[in-house]
Amino acid sequence: VLIQATRQAHKEWKEFAMVNLQPNVEPAGRYTVTEACKLLGIHRATLNRATNALFIKCGYRRDNHRRYYTGLEIIKYWRSK
């Protein structure tokens, strides 16, 4: 029940924070945290919360363990608003 309430609150809040136009990304492309935030029009803390709540999935680079987001995940997250 708490998870459903959290998801609903996040969905309602996200409508005010995100860009209106679908981000122009390559579905198979990889985007850094900064790039994903700019494309979505959200703060990196918001992206971190969405990742921790499993609203968007990230990958980790092998060489430096930094997070990246695929274009497909960015589009799916944007469409979920």
Side-chain angles (χ1 to χ4, degrees):
V1 176
L2 179 60
I3 293 173
Q4 290 174 344
T6 303
R7 285 181 186 251
Q8 183 62 29
H10 179 75
K11 190 172 185 179
E12 291 171 1
W13 181 83
K14 189 170 58 166
E15 290 178 8
F16 298 106
M18 201 169 296
V19 294
N20 291 327
L21 298 175
Q22 179 173 328
N24 185 18
V25 295
E26 288 292 325
R30 291 183 177 187
Y31 299 88
T32 64
V33 172
T34 302
E35 292 169 335
C37 289
K38 286 181 182 177
L39 289 165
L40 292 167
I42 59 176
H43 193 271
R44 65 187 305 119
T46 304
L47 186 60
N48 287 338
R49 283 194 303 269
T51 304
N52 292 339
L54 302 177
F55 292 120
I56 185 170
K57 296 177 185 175
C58 69
Y60 293 91
R61 291 176 50 111
R62 290 182 187 172
D63 57 349
N64 59 13
H65 303 289
R66 291 187 183 195
R67 287 182 296 146
Y68 69 85
Y69 296 88
T70 63
L72 184 61
E73 283 296 323
I74 292 170
I75 292 170
K76 286 187 342 188
Y77 180 67
W78 181 83
R79 286 183 179 164
S80 70
K81 68 175 185 174

